[in-house]
């Protein structure tokens, strides 16, 4: 508020002063005139000469005063004029100053584009001085855009007389390129002549850079988003595929997390349990379904497959061994075979998965099979026993000629052989159905073997074979299943006797090897041909030379013997050359493990004392 | 002295016939039944000194016959020897648990051995000293 007042005062005051002075001069003339009349009157009346002298003097001083006053008022007049001029000139100067000091690049050209004016901003932006620019066109720093661009530019400003506005790429004097936002306007005078152009340009290089960076960032973000989206699609596709794979498993599948909460259950499992889709999800497995043993006793939670599998620090894979039942939603039960394994992620157990199937059909088949075998063998053995017993009775009661007795004995022998075959088949069926148990008891094997050898001394005598059993400890107490050991020993020994020609020798060696016992039975028999060596323990397999030596062998003995050795937790092997005898080795633990089973092997009856 | 009375409960006629002949020749009085029910009835009425009991029998299984014999105070003291073809340990165990005195796996023995076994059984029964000696 102060400035405008001062400005106005600075203009008005000189005017007032000038006016006042002029008024003073005019007033002076008037006063002087009146004064002169008065003097003249006085002079007429009195001392006129004197008065005339005084009039001269007064006139000179008066002239001097008037001159002074007029000069001073002239000075103030000029001051006023200048102040007025200044007052009106200030705005234009300000505009000029504004243009001059604008940081934007401003140039004025004539209608042909020749530069008439350029401000400091233009000098700074282009790097050229005003002197360098004058007389040049803006091509000095421009001309980097396409021909089309410039054509359009000139069309707009020169012919259409419109404002052109656009982004322009330029090059500074130091060859550095930069971008500007240019506004070029035609200047039209009051006679509608195009007299030139004014162009302002704003450096938008930084802006463009930021924009470019923003754009880059946007593109990058979009790429990331696209990647994410793609990844998510891939993941969901992979998940759907995994889900499809899991749900296509023909067996039941239940997965639980670390706490035993069911997190996955496929349709097969849901069908087996008779529950709705997803009904068990989120429940603890032990709340969702129970499990029982054969007798119908509930399996306690800590012994359940998942509990064992989830035990911290262990990687327990649990497979159903004995009869195991799951209880359906309706309370009925079904037998299962399952494999439960921990789910390991980053070395941590994060849950467990159980694959299981309903084995009702298999159990039924198994039952039918063993029922069939035992029934079949029963059916076979009854008539066989009938034959044997009747022959026995016949032989005892009737006094028959020797020849007829011989025939009857042949019948008896054949029936016996058939009986043995049935027994072997029954033994195989028992082994293969896993029903043979191991009942360990304390046995002195030295005494046991001696006893067996005594029992078959007749067989040795008949073939003129020597038996040697001298290489053994005084006593060898083993915790072993007597019938299984007996079976193995008799089997190998009878092979040695059967396949060793007259006059040969069978040697038995028994020794302790750390916590195992080693039984060695060697003979001087026909040996095992090379081509038969890999197959000698196969069911029904018989080596060619064995068939020649003993046509009625079954090919089952060594197979069962090997299975029996397995039951003892031992191993059996041999060394042999065709014609060079055979050495069979049986190694087994001194204390065998007990195994629950329903039946034993049917003992061989080659020895009289049995 | 009265003859020792033995009842054979065996459905296979041939086996029964051989046993009958052998046991009669060995000096026993032998009665026969060919199914479980008849065997049980015969044992109840005749009070034999021994029942030779097959397991797989028509009408009534051997185990049931055995169970019923042992349940009744009247017949629980009649000795029973099981005749079996199965030789399954479980059957033998079950038979002995139910009170059978012994078992014989038929197909594992010549008939003479079986007769010998029965003779031995009575020898032990009437002369416990033999059992003592064996032990």
């Amino acid at each position: 508020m102060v400035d405008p007042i001062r400005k106005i005062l600075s203009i008005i005051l000189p005017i007032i002063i000038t006016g006042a002075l002029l008024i003073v001069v005019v007033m002076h003339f008037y006063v002087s005139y009146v004064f002169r009349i008065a003097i003249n009157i006085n002079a007429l009346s009195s001392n006129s000469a004197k008065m005339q002298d005084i009039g001269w003097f007064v006139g000179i001083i008066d002239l001097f005063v008037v001159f002074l006053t007029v000069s001073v008022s002239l000075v103030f007049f000029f001051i006023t004029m200048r102040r007025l001029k200044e007052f009106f000139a200030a705005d234009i100067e300000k505009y000029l100053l504004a243009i001059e000091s604008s940081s934007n690049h401003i140039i004025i050209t004539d209608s042909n584009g020749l530069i008439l004016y350029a401000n400091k901003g233009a000098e700074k932006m282009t790097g050229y001085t005003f002197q360098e620019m004058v007389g040049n066109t803006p091509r000095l720093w421009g001309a980097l855009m396409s021909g089309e661009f410039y054509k359009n530019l000139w069309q707009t400003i020169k012919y259409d007389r419109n404002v052109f506005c656009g982004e322009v790429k330029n090059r500074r004097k130091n060859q550095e390129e930069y971008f500007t936002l240019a506004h070029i306007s035609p200047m039209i005078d009051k006679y509608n002549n195009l007299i030139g152009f004014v162009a302002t340009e704003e450096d938008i290089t930084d802006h463009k850079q930021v924009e470019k960076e923003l754009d880059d960032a946007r593109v990058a973000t979009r790429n990331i988003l696209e990647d994410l989206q793609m990844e998510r699609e891939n993941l969901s596709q992979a998940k759907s595929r995994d889900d499809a794979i899991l749900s296509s498993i023909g067996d039941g599948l239940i997965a639980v997390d670390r706490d035993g909460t069911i997190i996955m259950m496929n349709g097969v499992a849901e069908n087996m349990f008779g529950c709705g889709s997803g009904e068990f999800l989120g429940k603890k497995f032990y709340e969702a379904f129970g499990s029982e043993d054969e007798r119908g006793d509930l399996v306690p939670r800590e012994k359940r497959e998942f509990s064992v599998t989830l035990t911290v620090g262990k990687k327990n894979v649990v497979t159903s061994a004995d009869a195991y039942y799951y209880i359906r939603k309706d309370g009925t039960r079904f037998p299962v075979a399952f494999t439960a394994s921990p789910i390991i992620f980053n070395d941590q157990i994060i849950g467990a998965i159980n694959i299981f199937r309903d084995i009702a059909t298999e159990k039924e088949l198994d039952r039918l099979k063993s029922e069939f075998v035992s029934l079949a063998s029963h059916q076979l053995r009854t008539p066989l026993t009938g034959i044997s017993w009747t022959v026995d009775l016949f032989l005892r009661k009737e006094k028959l000629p020797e020849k007829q007795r011989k025939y009857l004995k042949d019948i008896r022998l054949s029936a016996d052989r058939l009986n043995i075959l049935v027994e072997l088949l029954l033994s195989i069926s028992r082994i293969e159905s896993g029903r043979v148990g191991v009942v360990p008891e304390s046995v002195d094997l030295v005494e046991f073997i001696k006893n067996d050898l005594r029992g078959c001394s007749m067989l040795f005598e008949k073939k003129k074979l020597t038996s040697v059993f001298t290489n053994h400890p005084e006593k060898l107490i083993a915790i072993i299943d007597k019938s299984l050991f007996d079976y193995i020993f008799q089997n190998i020994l009878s092979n040695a006797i059967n396949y060793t020609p007259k006059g040969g020798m069978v040697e038995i060696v028994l020794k302790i090897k750390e916590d195992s016992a080693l039984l060695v039975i060697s003979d001087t028999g026909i040996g095992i041909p090379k081509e038969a060596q890999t197959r000698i323990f196969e069911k029904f397999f018989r080596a060619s030379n064995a068939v020649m030596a003993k046509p009625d062998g079954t090919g089952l003995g060594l197979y069962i013997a090997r299975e029996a050795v397995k039951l003892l937790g031992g191993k059996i092997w041999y060394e042999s050359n065709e014609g060079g005898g055979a050495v069979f080795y049986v190694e087994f633990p001194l204390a065998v493990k007990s195994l629950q089973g329903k039946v034993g092997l049917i003992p061989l009856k080659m020895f009289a004392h049995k | 002295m009265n003859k020792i009375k033995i009842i054979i409960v065996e459905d296979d006629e041939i086996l029964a016939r051989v046993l009958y002949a052998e046991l009669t020749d060995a000096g026993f009085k032998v009665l026969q039944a060919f199914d479980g029910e008849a065997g049980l009835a015969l044992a109840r009425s005749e009070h034999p000194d021994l029942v030779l009991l097959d397991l797989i029998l028509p009408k009534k299984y051997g185990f049931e016959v055995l169970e019923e014999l042992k349940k009744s105070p009247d017949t629980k003291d009649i000795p029973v020897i099981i005749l079996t073809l199965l030789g399954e340990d479980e059957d033998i165990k079950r038979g002995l648990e139910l009170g059978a005195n012994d078992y014989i796996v038929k197909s594992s023995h010549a008939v003479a051995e079986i007769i010998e076994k029965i003779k031995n059984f009575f020898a032990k029964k009437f002369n416990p000293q033999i059992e003592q000696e064996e032990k």
Side-chain angles (χ1 to χ4, degrees):
Chain A
M1 285 300 284
V2 178
D3 274 351
I5 292 168
R6 271 173 74 175
K7 271 183 192 165
I8 291 164
L9 280 179
S10 70
I11 296 167
I12 291 172
L13 268 175
I15 293 172
I16 292 170
I17 292 169
T18 311
L21 285 171
L22 286 174
I23 290 165
V24 166
V25 171
V26 172
M27 285 294 285
H28 161 78
F29 281 117
Y30 180 70
V31 169
S32 147
Y33 180 70
V34 171
F35 187 64
R36 259 171 215 257
I37 293 167
I39 287 175
N40 285 343
I41 293 165
N42 276 343
L44 288 174
S45 62
S46 63
N47 205 351
S48 67
K50 210 179 179 177
M51 275 294 148
Q52 272 183 339
D53 289 344
I54 292 168
W56 271 102
F57 182 72
V58 170
I60 287 162
I61 288 175
D62 187 52
L63 269 174
F64 180 73
V65 170
V66 167
F67 178 74
L68 206 69
T69 309
V70 169
S71 304
V72 171
S73 64
L74 273 174
V75 168
F76 274 94
F77 176 74
F78 281 118
I79 287 173
T80 306
M81 289 312 284
R82 228 182 81 190
R83 291 271 162 93
L84 276 170
K85 189 186 165 196
E86 271 177 13
F87 180 76
F88 289 108
D91 277 349
I92 293 168
E93 268 183 18
K94 264 193 287 185
Y95 288 132
L96 282 172
L97 200 64
I99 291 170
E100 186 65 36
S101 47
S102 166
S103 70
N104 276 359
H105 153 128
I106 299 169
I107 58 166
I108 297 168
T109 70
D110 67 9
S111 59
N112 291 316
L114 288 175
I115 296 167
L116 302 174
Y117 171 82
N119 74 343
K120 286 205 169 64
E123 285 184 327
K124 200 175 165 196
M125 201 178 286
T126 61
Y128 293 99
T129 62
F130 176 57
Q131 280 74 21
E132 285 169 319
M133 287 189 243
V134 169
N136 265 310
T137 67
R139 295 177 66 86
L140 194 57
W141 56 85
L144 296 175
M145 307 296 284
S146 67
E148 189 67 23
F149 175 85
Y150 292 110
K151 214 174 124 187
N152 177 38
L153 169 71
W154 282 111
Q155 178 67 39
T156 307
I157 57 176
K158 193 165 182 176
Y159 303 108
D160 300 346
R161 295 187 177 186
N162 278 331
V163 178
F164 174 86
C165 181
E167 280 183 18
V168 188
K169 185 158 117 179
N170 292 323
R171 187 183 287 139
R172 293 189 228 282
K173 196 180 175 186
N174 65 9
Q175 300 303 311
E176 190 188 342
E177 289 184 350
Y178 63 100
F179 288 89
T180 61
L181 179 65
H183 287 84
I184 305 171
S185 320
M187 296 191 293
I188 316 287
D189 67 10
K190 54 185 175 182
Y191 306 110
N192 205 25
N193 290 321
L194 178 71
I195 55 164
F197 303 102
V198 57
T200 64
E201 291 186 26
E202 184 190 354
D203 191 339
I204 55 164
T205 311
D206 287 351
H207 179 75
K208 268 196 84 81
Q209 187 60 34
V210 169
E211 206 170 60
K212 190 173 171 296
E213 280 168 9
L214 259 175
D215 210 48
D216 287 351
R218 209 164 46 223
V219 169
T221 309
R222 201 172 53 225
N223 286 345
I224 289 170
L225 280 173
E226 274 172 8
D227 287 355
L228 268 175
Q229 179 67 20
M230 203 185 285
E231 199 58 32
R232 210 168 57 190
E233 274 168 21
N234 285 346
L235 259 175
S236 101
Q237 213 167 30
K239 192 181 176 299
S240 314
R241 202 179 47 214
D242 289 351
D243 282 353
I245 290 171
L246 286 178
S247 61
S248 304
I249 290 176
D251 291 340
L253 177 151
I254 294 180
V256 298
D257 67 9
R258 188 73 202 80
D259 304 321
T261 306
I262 295 175
I263 52 171
M264 185 189 275
M265 187 164 178
N266 70 353
V268 179
E270 283 170 347
N271 284 343
M272 280 194 228
F273 281 102
C275 70
S277 176
E279 190 182 330
F280 282 179
L281 291 184
K283 288 185 184 171
K284 301 281 186 210
F285 72 89
Y286 45 84
E287 284 161 3
F289 62 97
S291 85
E292 286 181 358
D293 62 14
E294 181 82 67
R295 285 179 301 182
D297 293 335
L298 275 177
V299 179
R301 194 209 292 182
E302 68 274 11
K303 286 190 178 164
R304 291 284 297 270
E305 65 289 7
F306 281 125
S307 306
V308 177
T309 309
L310 287 173
T311 309
V312 183
K314 287 183 180 160
K315 291 178 182 173
N316 287 331
V317 174
V318 187
T319 313
S320 53
D322 291 327
Y324 206 86
Y325 294 82
Y326 282 156
I327 302 169
R328 289 195 190 88
K329 217 186 136 196
D330 63 7
T332 59
R333 65 180 197 169
F334 60 99
V336 286
F338 65 81
T339 302
S341 339
I343 304 170
I344 314 273
F345 186 71
N346 285 343
D347 270 346
Q348 295 275 319
I349 297 180
I350 59 158
I353 188 159
N354 183 3
I355 307 274
F356 57 96
R357 64 202 156 83
D358 187 336
I359 53 166
T361 325
E362 288 161 54
K363 272 186 93 78
E364 179 62 12
L365 274 177
D366 206 41
R367 194 185 63 78
L368 286 175
K369 187 181 148 194
S370 60
E371 207 168 68
F372 169 77
V373 171
S374 86
L375 210 73
S377 54
H378 183 261
Q379 303 289 21
L380 284 167
R381 291 167 93 191
T382 304
L384 269 174
T385 310
I387 295 169
S388 303
W389 286 10
T390 312
V391 171
D392 284 352
L393 185 65
F394 201 2
L395 281 168
R396 186 179 64 77
K397 291 201 87 157
E398 308 299 327
K399 290 211 180 310
L400 296 168
E402 195 49 39
K403 209 171 178 182
Q404 289 177 23
R405 290 185 71 83
K406 178 80 175 61
Y407 293 148
L408 279 174
K409 278 183 177 167
D410 283 350
I411 295 173
R412 182 70 167 87
L413 215 62
S414 292
D416 277 351
R417 264 167 46 193
L418 202 48
N419 202 20
I420 286 169
L421 190 59
V422 170
E423 282 173 355
L424 286 174
L425 287 174
L426 196 56
S427 283
I428 286 176
S429 140
R430 288 176 179 187
I431 282 176
E432 289 182 348
S433 61
R435 292 185 302 144
V436 175
V438 178
V439 187
E441 55 183 308
S442 182
V443 183
D444 177 8
L445 295 179
V446 175
E447 192 51 43
F448 195 86
I449 290 169
K450 279 183 177 170
N451 209 17
D452 266 3
L453 286 174
R454 268 196 299 274
C456 61
S457 54
M458 287 284 287
L459 293 173
F460 278 100
E461 272 167 37
K462 224 161 100 183
K463 287 192 81 173
K464 308 257 182 301
L465 297 175
T466 326
S467 72
V468 181
F469 182 44
T470 50
N471 188 353
H472 60 80
E474 199 180 327
K475 265 187 168 193
L476 203 166
I477 310 287
I479 315 292
I480 200 166
D481 185 302
K482 225 154 113 181
S483 64
L484 285 175
F485 176 77
D486 198 26
Y487 198 96
I488 298 158
F489 179 66
Q490 284 196 34
N491 217 300
I492 302 170
L493 189 65
S494 70
N495 279 347
I497 294 168
N498 285 331
Y499 300 114
T500 301
K502 277 185 182 167
M505 188 181 82
V506 176
E507 189 184 2
I508 296 136
V509 175
L510 185 67
K511 46 184 161 187
I512 293 181
K513 216 178 129 188
E514 290 169 18
D515 50 359
S516 302
L518 181 67
L519 171 71
V520 187
I521 302 175
S522 51
D523 62 48
T524 55
I526 59 174
I528 302 160
K530 210 167 178 187
E531 71 273 9
Q533 296 209 348
T534 53
R535 304 185 56 196
I536 205 78
F537 291 110
E538 279 176 26
K539 199 159 43 173
F540 294 114
F541 178 81
R542 299 195 68 213
S544 52
N545 59 348
V547 178
M548 297 273 281
K550 192 176 184 297
D552 60 343
T554 59
L556 293 172
L558 279 178
Y559 170 76
I560 302 175
R562 187 188 60 178
E563 297 304 308
V565 172
K566 273 193 209 162
L567 282 171
L568 293 181
K571 52 183 180 178
I572 180 169
W573 70 100
Y574 64 89
E575 289 163 3
S576 178
N577 290 311
E578 187 166 7
V583 187
F584 275 84
Y585 302 85
V586 180
E587 195 182 321
F588 50 90
L590 283 173
V592 304
K593 283 182 191 146
S594 144
L595 181 73
Q596 204 76 341
K598 288 178 180 168
V599 292
L601 294 176
I602 296 160
L604 295 170
K605 294 189 303 283
M606 60 179 288
F607 306 135
H609 75 288
K610 298 277 154 188
Chain B
M1 188 178 134
N2 278 342
K3 275 189 183 174
I4 293 172
K5 200 196 293 175
I6 298 176
I7 292 177
I8 302 170
V9 190
E10 165 67 68
D11 63 321
D12 188 275
E13 281 181 46
I14 296 171
L15 293 187
R17 198 180 302 148
V18 174
L19 280 175
Y20 181 87
E22 292 284 0
L23 287 170
T24 311
D25 287 358
F28 297 106
K29 184 182 182 196
V30 185
L31 301 169
Q32 293 189 78
F34 296 97
D35 63 62
E37 278 177 8
L40 189 59
L42 202 61
R44 279 178 180 153
S45 59
E46 289 293 329
H47 278 272
D49 298 293
L50 177 68
V51 175
L52 288 177
L53 183 64
D54 191 12
L55 285 180
I56 300 177
L57 288 169
K59 294 188 184 172
K60 200 162 243 168
Y61 270 126
F63 284 132
E64 289 173 67
V65 176
L66 178 60
E67 226 171 345
E68 285 181 39
L69 281 177
K70 291 297 167 188
K71 224 159 50 186
S72 153
D74 196 29
T75 52
K76 72 175 170 44
D77 292 328
I78 302 172
V80 176
I81 290 179
I82 289 172
L83 286 174
T84 170
L85 270 174
L86 301 176
E88 303 240 342
D89 299 359
E90 229 179 36
D91 289 342
I92 292 163
K93 214 171 129 192
R94 187 169 164 209
L96 294 177
E97 270 170 12
L98 285 175
N101 298 60
D102 205 351
Y103 66 91
I104 293 167
V105 181
K106 287 180 276 189
S107 56
S108 302
H109 299 280
V111 73
E113 289 170 35
I114 293 170
I115 306 304
E116 205 55 40
K117 229 174 164 161
I118 292 165
K119 279 182 178 167
N120 271 340
F121 173 78
F122 284 112
K124 274 182 213 165
K125 192 179 171 191
F126 295 126
N127 190 358
Q129 251 184 321
I130 298 173
E131 199 173 354
Q132 220 67 42
E133 276 164 22
E134 279 206 355
K135 278 190 179 173

